[in-house]
Amino acid sequence: MLVLLPPSEGKASSGRGAPLKPESLSLPGLAQARAAVLAELVDLCAGDEEKAREVLGLSEGLRGEVAKNAELRTAGARPAGEVYTGVLYDALGLASLDAAAKRRAARSLLVFSGLWGAVRVTDRIPSYRCSMGVKLPGLGALGTHWRGPMAEVLPEAAGSGLVLDLRSAAYAAAWKPKGEVAGRTATVRVLHAPTRKVVSHFNKATKGRIVRSLLTAGIAPAGPGELVEALRDLGYEVEAAAPGKAGQAWAVDVLVTEVH
């Protein structure tokens, strides 16, 4: 099973660990694309602060993120699972998983990123600010920049089992499973049952709980059909629709009554 996660806007501080070693990151096929984004982002943020803030879409209160980006090559790095915070990651609670569940998380979780493309939760990275929606002056839109490298690397990373896609739209644009991989991909939405509407906060929290439930139970569904059965066994209310034709992902809706 491969679980595709969005990053979080909020991130823990880098700390005092050893700096980034780009060659140590998972998915080495993304190395060249990562180096290009890192180089332009650091140069941008080390130059005109106002221009960098505008490009990155940062408010006045987040001005300090520009200086942080300028120091990415020398800042302390820590596991990505510790860097990413926010609603989904709080609900997932990686730090409180038992040892077996942590090993499953290391194997199966892949976090998408405007800067790194995608990383495992065990990859050591510095704290940064660069969403997939950013358009850098040189490289252009990051979603477009990542499509080619992702298309080459991600099908192999997907292995032969379920691909559980929990990404938001901006990050989903960087890689869309195709062909045989799409047929074993489940794209999950979390809906407020009475209204059938997506509400951002509990959407993220429920996705985090879903991943935690699967990791804790040691369940790795082979495909979308098995995922639906597993989620129902775990107590979730699920509606699912198989694709109308080959090469399309399953649509899986998890219904939640209480907003929390």
Side-chain angles (χ1 to χ4, degrees):
M1 177 175 69
L2 183 68
V3 182
L4 311 180
L5 296 174
S8 59
E9 287 297 324
K11 299 175 183 70
S13 62
S14 294
R16 298 182 179 181
L20 171 73
K21 294 181 179 179
E23 69 278 4
S24 71
L25 297 179
S26 302
L27 307 178
L30 300 178
Q32 185 174 351
R34 285 171 176 150
V37 180
L38 179 63
E40 184 169 356
L41 182 62
V42 169
D43 287 349
L44 172 70
C45 292
D48 187 331
E49 184 180 86
E50 288 303 319
K51 179 180 179 180
R53 194 161 66 87
E54 180 181 353
V55 168
L56 296 174
L58 300 177
S59 66
E60 176 66 31
L62 294 174
R63 181 181 293 273
E65 299 294 302
V66 174
K68 184 167 69 175
N69 281 349
E71 304 296 329
L72 283 172
R73 289 195 175 95
T74 56
R78 60 197 298 186
E82 298 178 10
V83 171
Y84 294 115
T85 59
V87 176
L88 187 154
Y89 291 90
D90 285 347
L92 172 53
L94 286 170
S96 63
L97 293 173
D98 63 34
K102 285 180 179 177
R103 289 192 293 271
R104 296 181 195 110
R107 293 193 301 266
S108 62
L109 304 188
L110 198 63
V111 184
F112 276 61
S113 163
L115 174 54
W116 314 114
V119 293
R120 304 281 186 186
V121 292
T122 50
D123 285 336
R124 298 182 65 84
I125 59 173
S127 182
Y128 67 96
R129 193 73 174 222
C130 184
S131 72
M132 191 65 79
V134 165
K135 184 176 182 180
L136 291 174
L139 291 176
L142 291 179
T144 302
H145 171 76
W146 284 112
R147 282 178 198 158
M150 291 286 193
E152 294 182 5
V153 171
L154 267 293
E156 181 179 354
S160 59
L162 170 73
V163 177
L164 177 55
D165 192 351
L166 303 178
R167 298 172 295 170
S168 54
Y171 292 90
W175 181 60
K176 182 178 180 180
K178 295 181 179 179
E180 181 271 335
V181 178
R184 50 187 169 85
T185 297
T187 301
V188 174
R189 298 186 306 171
V190 180
L191 304 181
H192 185 216
T195 64
R196 290 302 197 273
K197 292 182 179 179
V198 173
V199 181
S200 179
H201 178 87
F202 83 94
N203 170 55
K204 295 175 182 178
T206 303
K207 285 179 177 178
R209 293 188 192 104
I210 286 170
V211 177
R212 184 179 179 88
S213 295
L214 293 171
L215 293 173
T216 301
I219 299 173
E226 289 188 19
L227 171 69
V228 171
E229 293 179 7
L231 291 179
R232 287 173 176 161
D233 289 343
L234 289 167
Y236 294 95
E237 183 180 354
V238 180
E239 293 178 353
K245 58 181 180 181
Q248 294 181 336
W250 281 54
V252 177
D253 290 339
V254 177
L255 306 180
V256 180
T257 302
E258 296 183 2
V259 179
H260 58 89

